[in-house]
């Protein structure tokens, strides 16, 4: 058993995460290349290399044809030399001739070494690419290395990633050795190793952070249906629960805000609004404009537009600083939102239009409702005072009813003596 080779391959397999079969294949190729260099041949199709993967013992031999006159030393053998190996060989037979790798020259050995190293580097690069390609569209934790111009180099363990200036949160300062979480945008396979681009501004970064902090989001009980983000300032997320017994907003906020505060801390104080998702566009828009109160919402699902009316004192809150709240609500819902105050809506007639639509949707007619209510009250009164009914009046004309007052009462009422 070739113990030294076996131990070397085992160490490389653990450190570089390269399979032993791949390394053995690299050794085979290096020995074939060494044979070509040693014999000065561009091809060595008749050379065979066998390596036992269990013991790492190997043999190298050439399959030579028996001829009278040798013209190609690597491919042919004389009949005399063939007879020395076995007297039964005749012209045209194939003889296996062992090749001593120790006899290779310095140049052939160096070339074999380079082949092995090149193969190891290629496999190492491929392993790194596959490892981080699986993390594409996910978050990873890295250590800030240094600034490269306006960009930042971040070490992810086995490879460095690049955080470009466009993907940085405005106002954030990254210090060397600082640990930060980043979102993997893209992994490219390059000759010198994988090139990894990461981001701190992508909306999916917030989603992945909630998945790491909120168990219900990770297992799918709570879904994050939509995200709108202005990195470094504010983020709105709409959540939905697949379990009626689970409050999606409460699950994301956590006890005393522990879960959402962990995300806010990672984003260096970025404000996060969590709202309930609703399949009804009007209700979704109303939720998206929180914390502002809404009087009415008229949403057009085909045109993706919505008219929103808010109280006069809530207009600035609904629009937000520099229009941020309305802008994020529009991104979150996918609707173009037109916000008006109650006074503006009344002047333009939008509020009246909403009221008409509202009453058309009621389950009862207003006149019929009050007529029915009045009839029920009249029936109860007739039962309490039967002598006041119309039937009794027809039978007993001229009799004073119990609720009728004396003539003096009218005079007193006129004078203000009765309350």
């Amino acid at each position: 058993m070739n113990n030294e080779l076996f131990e070397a391959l085992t160490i490389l397999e653990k450190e570089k995460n390269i399979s032993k079969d791949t390394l053995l294949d690299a050794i085979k190729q290096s020995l074939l290349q060494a044979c070509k260099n040693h014999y000065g041949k561009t091809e060595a199709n008749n050379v065979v290399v066998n390596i036992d993967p269990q013991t790492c013992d190997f043999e190298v031999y050439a399959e030579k044809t028996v001829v009278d006159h040798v013209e190609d030393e690597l491919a042919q053998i004389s009949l005399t030399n063939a007879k020395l190996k076995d007297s039964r060989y005749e012209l045209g037979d194939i003889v296996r001739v062992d090749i001593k790798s120790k006899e290779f020259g310095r140049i052939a050995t160096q070339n074999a070494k380079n082949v092995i190293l090149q193969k190891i580097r290629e496999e190492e690069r491929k392993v790194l690419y596959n490892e981080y390609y699986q993390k594409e569209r996910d978050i990873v934790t890295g250590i800030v290395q240094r600034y490269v111009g306006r960009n930042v180099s971040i070490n992810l363990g086995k490879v460095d990633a690049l955080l470009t200036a466009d993907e940085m949160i405005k106002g954030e300062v990254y210090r060397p050795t600082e640990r930060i979480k980043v979102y993997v945008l893209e992994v490219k396979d390059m000759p010198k190793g994988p090139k990894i681009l990461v981001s701190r501004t992508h909306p999916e970064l917030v989603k992945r952070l909630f998945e790491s902090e909120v168990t219900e989001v990770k297992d799918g009980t709570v879904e994050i249906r939509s995200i709108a983000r202005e990195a470094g300032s504010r983020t709105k997320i709409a959540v939905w629960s697949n379990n009626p017994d689970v409050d999606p907003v409460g699950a994301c906020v956590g006890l005393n805000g522990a879960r959402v505060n962990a995300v806010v801390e990672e984003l260096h104080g970025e404000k996060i609004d969590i709202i309930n998702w609703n399949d009804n566009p009007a209700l979704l828009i109303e939720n998206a404009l929180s914390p502002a109160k809404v009087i009415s919402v008229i949403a057009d699902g085909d045109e993706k537009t919505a008219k929103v009316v808010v109280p006069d004192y809530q207009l600035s809150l609904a629009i937000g600083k520099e229009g941020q709240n309305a802008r994020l609500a529009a991104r979150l819902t996918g609707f173009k939102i037109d916000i008006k105050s109650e006074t503006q809506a009344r002047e333009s007639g939008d509020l009246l239009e909403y009221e008409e639509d509202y009453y058309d949707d009621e389950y009862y007619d207003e006149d019929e409702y009050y007529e029915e209510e009045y009839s029920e009250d009249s029936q109860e009164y007739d039962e309490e005072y039967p002598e006041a009914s119309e039937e009794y009046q027809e039978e007993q004309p001229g009799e004073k009813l119990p609720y009728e007052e004396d003539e003096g009462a009218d005079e007193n009422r006129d004078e203000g003596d009765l309350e």
Side-chain angles (χ1 to χ4, degrees), residues 25-172:
D25 183 64
I27 294 174
K28 285 183 182 181
Q29 298 299 324
S30 67
L31 289 172
L32 289 173
Q33 184 64 40
C35 287
K36 295 177 183 178
N37 293 330
H38 180 70
Y39 291 102
K41 298 279 291 184
T42 57
E43 295 182 1
N45 297 328
N46 63 318
V47 177
V48 179
V49 179
N50 289 328
I51 302 179
D52 188 342
Q54 302 300 326
T55 63
C56 289
D57 291 332
F58 67 93
E59 59 176 347
V60 183
Y61 61 87
E63 295 179 338
K64 298 184 179 182
T65 305
V66 179
V67 295
D68 284 331
H69 302 284
V70 177
E71 297 179 357
D72 186 349
E73 185 179 352
L74 183 60
Q76 297 174 344
I77 185 172
S78 65
L79 180 60
T80 303
N81 291 334
K83 292 285 187 181
L84 293 176
K85 291 182 174 294
D86 193 327
S87 59
R88 292 174 295 180
Y89 283 124
E90 299 293 339
L91 293 174
D93 291 342
I94 301 299
V95 180
R96 290 178 53 174
V97 180
D98 292 334
I99 297 176
K100 303 297 183 181
S101 58
K102 292 182 180 180
E103 297 177 358
F104 291 163
R106 181 180 62 83
I107 296 177
T109 304
Q110 185 65 33
N111 289 338
K113 176 184 175 182
N114 292 337
V115 170
I116 295 175
L117 293 177
Q118 180 64 24
K119 185 66 174 179
I120 291 175
R121 282 193 291 267
E122 289 178 359
E123 289 300 318
E124 185 178 9
R125 185 175 68 247
K126 188 183 298 183
V127 168
L128 286 175
Y129 172 77
N130 292 334
E131 178 181 349
Y132 285 97
Y133 182 76
Q134 295 176 358
K135 296 181 180 180
E136 199 174 57
R137 309 300 175 189
D138 201 353
I139 60 170
V140 293
T141 301
I143 301 175
V144 177
Q145 295 287 94
R146 63 191 181 279
Y147 274 86
V148 182
R150 297 176 57 201
N151 306 327
V152 177
S153 176
I154 298 176
N155 182 262
L156 302 182
K158 298 179 181 179
V159 67
D160 289 344
L162 189 66
L163 178 63
T164 61
D166 295 337
E167 299 297 336
M168 297 181 191
I169 295 178
K170 187 177 180 180
E172 274 193 348

Side-chain angles (χ1 to χ4, degrees), residues 262-323:
V263 177
V264 170
E265 184 178 355
E266 178 60 38
L267 298 176
H268 296 169
E270 182 175 318
K271 296 180 177 63
I272 299 178
D273 296 338
I274 306 173
I275 69 164
N276 282 305
W277 172 271
N278 199 301
D279 292 329
N280 186 329
L283 295 177
L284 177 61
I285 292 170
E286 181 180 352
N287 294 339
L289 287 172
S290 65
K293 304 299 180 183
V294 175
I295 294 178
S296 69
V297 179
I298 301 177
D300 187 339
D302 297 330
E303 298 292 334
K304 289 293 183 179
T305 59
K307 295 181 180 180
V308 179
V309 179
V310 298
D312 292 347
Y313 68 94
Q314 292 273 297
L315 181 60
S316 59
L317 182 61
I319 296 175
K321 184 179 180 181
E322 297 179 354

